[in-house]
Amino acid sequence: MGRLNSALAERDKEVRTLAQWLRGLRERSGLTYSQMAHKTAGFTQPVSLATLSRADEGRTVPTWPVTEAYTRACGGSVRTAERLWLRADANRPGRRTGKRLPGPPPAPGAGRALRYVTERSELLLAMRRLRLRAGSPSLRELEARAVRAAVSHLPRSTLHGVLTGERDCTERVLVEFVRACGAGPAEEAEWIAALHRTRTAPPPDIRRQLADAHAEIHRLRHALDRHPSPGTP
């Protein structure tokens, strides 16, 4: 029960964070909901005044198309909106395949971004982004896409645990996931390499100590350059 309450509290926190960020955008833009709805009329998927007003209440997670339209109407960062929405939507109960606007296809060279993944949290965020760009398929749909010989190689209970950070992601689950999201064979290698780096990279505290050490070395070198030892030519 304690673990469930903790998960619910975390989910509610992320939903509120997204709602507060959206409200801040609207307040800074000075637009009314009516004006925002009018601006979305020129978007691929217009959004009504009522839907926009519910998006920043913080009671539920708005769909990604609504979040994106709200952000664009107010001139906000779609990239920031995507990051906040992914966190808020990660544990949304009763996920179903709604009428969602398919996300944009992976940009050319998107695999290169995976080369910078070194931590488990970064890999999870990349997986959530991939799912978003695939049109936010439900866990049930992803499970169905991985069915071979009447057996799914991507159980939704396992995938839920991975995407929420409660379970470690195995190479088999990762490969099945990226395939279900439409990634090709060439991209699979990049994902696998990223997974392996998350397992071999030093812990965050060690990385911080190394960074501090490098900074101290740089400071000492700078000090020596400014104040050379006596007799130094």
Side-chain angles (χ1 to χ4, degrees):
M1 180 61 71
R3 185 173 182 178
L4 176 59
N5 289 336
S6 177
L8 291 173
E10 182 63 25
R11 184 197 70 206
D12 292 343
K13 175 185 175 183
E14 298 296 352
V15 174
R16 288 195 301 271
T17 298
L18 173 63
Q20 290 169 0
W21 185 80
L22 290 174
R23 286 198 299 272
L25 278 184
R26 184 176 63 82
E27 292 169 0
R28 288 191 294 274
S29 71
L31 297 173
T32 64
Y33 292 117
S34 179
Q35 291 171 325
M36 290 167 60
H38 180 72
K39 292 186 70 172
T40 69
F43 297 170
T44 304
Q45 182 172 324
V47 182
S48 69
L49 181 157
T51 301
L52 289 169
S53 65
R54 287 195 298 270
D56 63 15
E57 289 180 345
R59 297 179 183 178
T60 59
V61 183
T63 64
W64 168 245
V66 170
T67 304
E68 182 184 26
Y70 190 117
T71 303
R72 290 176 57 197
C74 294
S77 167
V78 174
R79 184 173 182 177
T80 300
E82 180 188 55
R83 175 173 55 81
L84 295 174
W85 183 85
L86 283 167
R87 291 178 177 175
D89 190 64
N91 295 316
R92 179 169 56 85
R95 289 184 62 95
R96 294 177 182 174
T97 305
K99 189 177 181 182
R100 293 171 175 260
L101 180 68
R112 286 197 292 271
L114 287 172
R115 298 177 187 176
Y116 298 99
V117 170
T118 58
E119 297 183 21
R120 182 173 177 236
S121 60
E122 295 170 343
L123 180 66
L124 292 181
L125 181 57
M127 292 173 69
R128 291 168 186 165
R129 286 179 183 274
L130 179 64
R131 183 184 179 189
L132 175 63
R133 293 190 174 103
S136 297
S138 67
L139 298 181
R140 186 182 297 277
E141 183 174 346
L142 290 171
E143 181 182 53
R145 292 179 185 180
V147 170
R148 292 189 297 278
V151 176
S152 176
H153 296 263
L154 191 61
R156 60 180 179 274
S157 58
T158 299
L159 183 56
H160 177 270
V162 169
L163 292 177
T164 56
E166 296 176 359
R167 300 182 60 162
D168 288 333
C169 184
T170 66
E171 183 174 320
R172 182 183 63 80
V173 168
L174 180 64
V175 169
E176 294 292 346
F177 172 78
V178 299
R179 285 178 181 174
C181 288
E187 294 176 80
E188 288 179 19
E190 292 285 352
W191 283 96
I192 293 172
L195 174 64
H196 289 174
R197 282 195 301 277
T198 65
R199 295 173 174 175
T200 58
D205 57 333
I206 298 297
R207 286 198 295 274
R208 283 194 295 270
Q209 292 175 23
L210 288 173
D212 291 343
H214 284 301
E216 179 65 13
I217 291 172
H218 178 76
R219 187 188 66 78
L220 291 173
R221 284 178 176 172
H222 183 67
L224 288 173
D225 290 340
R226 294 181 58 188
H227 305 286
S229 302
T232 301

